[in-house]
Amino acid sequence: MSLEIGAVVPDFTTPATDDTEITLSQLRGKQVVIYFYPKASTPGCTTEGGDFRDRKAQFDAANTVIIGVSRDGIRAQQNFKNKQEFNFALLSDKDETVCNLFDVIKLKKLYGKEYMGIERSTFLIDSEGKLAQEWRKVKVKDHAQEVLEAAQSLHQG
């Protein structure tokens, strides 16, 4: 099942960093960027998170919340957030509920071995909870800037 652009994103509640939970419906009225990354504290994921971190004030100005998601446990997510000084929540999606909702678990290959893992993907949800834009098979370079521009454009209407 894949979400369609313009469709309301189904609600979910998931454990987040800083001993919190995130419930998507509680963010209505704000735009939401949800970005999925394969593994905390790996080079590409660190760069991507840093790019979002460094643009947070601009996302805030566009009424947009940033949320990072991976299948790492909450302790790994908290350590990653603390070490990189991320200024947004990271979700622990060990049971893959949110990953499956956005259809980001894909067959991947590493060193000739196949496995199921998160395909780096980002989703922009509008202030009414509808999927506005998606990026799949993301390349980290310039990605956060592209997402920021889309969020700013959506915010300005």
Side-chain angles (χ1 to χ4, degrees), residues 35 46-60 66 80-88 144:
Y35 79 94
T46 299
T47 299
E48 184 178 27
D51 289 347
F52 278 110
R53 175 197 62 216
D54 296 345
R55 289 167 175 78
K56 184 173 183 298
Q58 293 164 279
F59 277 104
D60 288 346
I66 304 165
F80 186 36
K81 178 179 175 169
N82 293 349
K83 185 173 181 197
Q84 301 303 326
E85 298 179 356
F86 290 157
N87 45 13
F88 51 85

Side-chain angles (χ1 to χ4, degrees), residues 30-138:
K30 290 189 178 293
Q31 296 176 166
V32 180
V33 165
I34 299 181
Y35 79 94
F36 292 84
Y37 56 95
K39 190 157 180 51
S41 301
T42 56
C45 301
T46 299
T47 299
E48 184 178 27
D51 289 347
F52 278 110
R53 175 197 62 216
D54 296 345
R55 289 167 175 78
K56 184 173 183 298
Q58 293 164 279
F59 277 104
D60 288 346
N63 193 38
T64 305
V65 176
I66 304 165
I67 300 171
V69 184
S70 77
R71 298 183 301 181
D72 295 291
I74 200 68
R75 179 177 285 140
Q77 294 287 52
Q78 189 67 55
N79 291 342
F80 186 36
K81 178 179 175 169
N82 293 349
K83 185 173 181 197
Q84 301 303 326
E85 298 179 356
F86 290 157
N87 45 13
F88 51 85
L90 298 179
L91 303 187
S92 170
D93 192 31
K94 280 179 96 82
D95 65 3
E96 300 178 0
T97 303
V98 183
C99 289
N100 288 328
L101 183 65
F102 287 91
D103 190 30
V104 298
I105 303 290
K106 304 290 181 189
L107 186 64
K108 299 174 86 174
K109 270 188 181 162
L110 185 65
Y111 306 122
K113 288 196 167 101
E114 291 188 335
Y115 66 99
M116 297 304 283
I118 291 180
E119 178 181 83
R120 194 180 302 279
S121 308
T122 302
F123 301 86
L124 176 59
I125 301 169
D126 71 15
S127 58
E128 295 170 7
K130 294 179 185 152
L131 184 60
Q133 203 164 338
E134 66 179 19
W135 294 262
R136 296 195 180 261
K137 297 184 181 169
V138 164

